Amino acid sequence: MSIAHDLFAETNPAFGVFIIVDFCRSFRKVSEKAPAAALLYLAVPLAMSGDTQTSFSATNSKTGLLTWLNRYPEIRLDLADRLDASLQIVSESIKLGLASRALELGKEGVIGLGILAPAKAYADQLPSGPRQVIRRAERLGGWMAGAGTTGSIFSAFGVTP
C-alpha cells in the first residue's frame, strides 16, 4: 500500500488558520503582545516550506531568529519568490480565520486569537508532516517575538513589509 501526500490539504486555508493560530499563540507567550499581521506573510511560507525542516531540526526555542538566520543564510535565497508564491494562501487563511472568529484583527494591524481559536490539541492530532509545519510556525512565533520590531524582523530577512 502506498501513501499519497496531499499537498492541497496543506495549502487549504483551514490548515493555514492552524498555522497562524499556533504562530500567534507562541508569539504572545514570549512577548505578551499580538504579532503584526504583516509577519504572517513571512512566517507562514517559511513554516510551510519543507526545505527548512533541516534548519529547524538543529535548533530549539532558545536559538533565536538572528542566530538561525546566521547559521542558515540560504533561508534568504529566493525568499521573495517564496513569499510571492504564498501570498494568496496566507491572505485566504487570514480571511477564513477572521470570518470564523479563530483570529481577530486588533488595533495597529496586530492579529490575535479570536474567541473560537482551535485548541492546540487539534494540531497535535495531525499527521507528522503537517504537525511539523505547525511546530515550525510555533518556533518562528517565539523567535520573532524576541527579535524586536516588525521592521527589524523584515530587515533581518532582507525584505521590506
Side-chain angles (χ1 to χ4, degrees):
M1 170 188 231
S2 64
I3 297 175
H5 182 75
D6 187 357
L7 177 63
F8 293 108
E10 290 186 21
T11 59
N12 183 313
F15 181 62
V17 173
F18 273 94
I19 296 169
I20 293 168
V21 163
D22 280 1
F23 171 83
C24 291
R25 199 174 268 138
S26 181
F27 191 100
R28 186 161 193 118
K29 185 178 179 182
V30 172
S31 75
E32 299 181 7
K33 295 186 293 184
L39 290 177
L40 300 176
Y41 290 92
L42 272 175
V44 172
L46 288 169
M48 291 180 77
S49 298
D51 61 344
T52 61
Q53 179 59 39
T54 303
S55 68
F56 280 97
S57 296
T59 64
N60 61 45
S61 61
K62 304 254 189 244
T63 300
L65 183 67
L66 296 178
T67 300
W68 177 66
L69 286 171
N70 284 330
R71 286 183 193 168
Y72 301 96
E74 65 274 10
I75 296 295
R76 294 181 188 97
L77 295 176
D78 299 323
L79 183 61
D81 293 336
R82 187 181 309 215
L83 299 181
D84 286 342
S86 66
L87 185 65
Q88 183 177 354
I89 295 166
V90 177
S91 295
E92 292 298 321
S93 297
I94 293 170
K95 288 176 193 174
L96 177 62
L98 293 171
S100 66
R101 298 190 297 170
L103 299 170
E104 67 179 22
L105 190 59
K107 294 179 181 178
E108 300 177 11
V110 299
I111 195 135
L113 301 180
I115 60 171
L116 297 177
K120 185 163 173 39
Y122 291 121
D124 292 338
Q125 296 172 10
L126 292 170
S128 177
R131 194 170 53 241
Q132 289 303 315
V133 173
I134 300 290
R135 298 296 175 253
R136 292 191 293 265
E138 289 172 342
R139 182 89 35 98
L140 285 166
W143 289 348
M144 287 183 180
T149 66
T150 301
S152 65
I153 293 167
F154 274 94
S155 179
F157 281 98
V159 295
T160 56

